[in-house]
């Protein structure tokens, strides 16, 4: 007799929960574990644990954007590079445009707020596991507007910079320090420092002040 196929129709969706708050992490694991067809197979509180515990057995990662000193955006990017089959569903308190766009660019398939109902979380997990993209109603319209605006930009200053480096330079030109830039772009402070160093090298300027002047001359740093 033939063995039954082990595909999505015959086995549960295997989920990893990555969140630095133990009450939320364990509570979410309890909720998901009570749902038919969903199995929690890994829990992680930071980037290192996520990289270690999210394996090929995982189908969906429920990802917070703030993991203590680590960035959920960078962790998402790292996991998807290593495991392209992963579906990442962000669940966070952040509903600003920068966070939504950064998550989508990093490869997340879904974006929910932590105020989402259990039904919305379940629907989101099943949707991304099925290859769909999903966003909570509070963020969907704003996210689409931001993505459309980024695609229709005509002039791209400093083409030698990556998109992320250009975003960092724009915030430098506005006078923000590294800590503020890290919060706005949902990155770790270390990652922001690295981006600033790369920008200075690529622009051939000696310091942050000169980078600010150069960026403003090119039209960056406007509100």
């Amino acid at each position: 007799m033939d063995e039954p196929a082990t595909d999505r129709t015959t086995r549960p969706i295997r989920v990893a929960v990555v969140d630095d708050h133990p009450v939320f992490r364990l509570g979410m694991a309890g909720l998901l574990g009570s749902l038919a067809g969903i199995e929690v197979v890994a829990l992680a509180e930071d980037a290192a644990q996520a990289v270690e515990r999210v394996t090929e057995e995982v189908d969906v990662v429920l990802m917070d954007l703030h993991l203590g000193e680590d960035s959920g955006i960078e962790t998402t990017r790292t996991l998807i590079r290593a495991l392209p089959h992963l579906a990442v569903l962000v669940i966070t308190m952040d509903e600003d445009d920068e966070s939504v766009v950064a998550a989508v660019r990093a490869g997340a398939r879904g974006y929910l707020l932590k105020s989402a109902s259990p039904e919305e979380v379940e629907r989101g997990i099943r949707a991304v596991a099925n290859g769909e993209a999903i966003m909570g109603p509070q963020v969907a319209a704003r996210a689409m507007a931001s993505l459309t605006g980024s695609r229709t930009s005509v002039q791209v200053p400093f083409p030698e910079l990556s998109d992320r480096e250009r975003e960092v330079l724009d915030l430098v030109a506005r006078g923000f320090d590294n800590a503020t830039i890290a919060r706005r772009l949902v990155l770790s402070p270390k990652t922001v420092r690295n981006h600033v160093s790369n920008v200075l090298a690529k622009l051939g300027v000696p310091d942050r002040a000169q980078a600010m002047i150069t960026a403003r001359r090119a039209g960056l740093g406007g509100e």
Side-chain angles (χ1 to χ4, degrees), residues 85-108:
H85 77 280
L86 275 182
V88 175
L89 174 61
V90 168
I91 184 161
T92 181
M93 298 294 293
D94 298 328
E95 58 180 308
D96 58 283
D97 295 343
E98 292 92 344
S99 298
V100 178
V101 174
V104 172
R105 285 178 174 169

Side-chain angles (χ1 to χ4, degrees), residues 39-70:
E39 178 185 3
V40 177
V41 296
L43 299 175
E45 66 179 359
D46 56 26
Q49 286 188 2
V51 170
E52 177 187 357
R53 298 176 184 180
V54 175
T55 67
E56 291 185 357
E57 294 184 353
V58 177
D59 302 311
V60 175
V61 176
L62 203 61
M63 176 72 70
D64 188 14
L65 291 188
H66 299 285
L67 304 174
E69 289 296 314
D70 300 323

Side-chain angles (χ1 to χ4, degrees), residues 168 172 178 181 191-201 208:
V168 170
V172 168
N178 285 358
I181 294 173
T191 298
V192 172
R193 288 195 299 271
N194 290 339
H195 282 314
V196 171
S197 296
N198 290 339
V199 167
L200 296 182
R208 193 185 191 95

Side-chain angles (χ1 to χ4, degrees), residues 64-126:
D64 188 14
L65 291 188
H66 299 285
L67 304 174
E69 289 296 314
D70 300 323
S71 163
I73 296 295
E74 294 300 323
T75 306
T76 294
R77 186 176 289 113
T78 297
L79 290 176
I80 291 177
R81 282 175 181 163
L83 302 166
H85 77 280
L86 275 182
V88 175
L89 174 61
V90 168
I91 184 161
T92 181
M93 298 294 293
D94 298 328
E95 58 180 308
D96 58 283
D97 295 343
E98 292 92 344
S99 298
V100 178
V101 174
V104 172
R105 285 178 174 169
R109 291 188 196 170
Y111 196 105
L112 298 177
L113 298 182
K114 286 190 173 178
S115 58
S117 68
E119 293 77 17
E120 288 175 314
V121 174
E122 179 183 4
R123 185 165 58 248
I125 287 174
R126 296 191 190 280

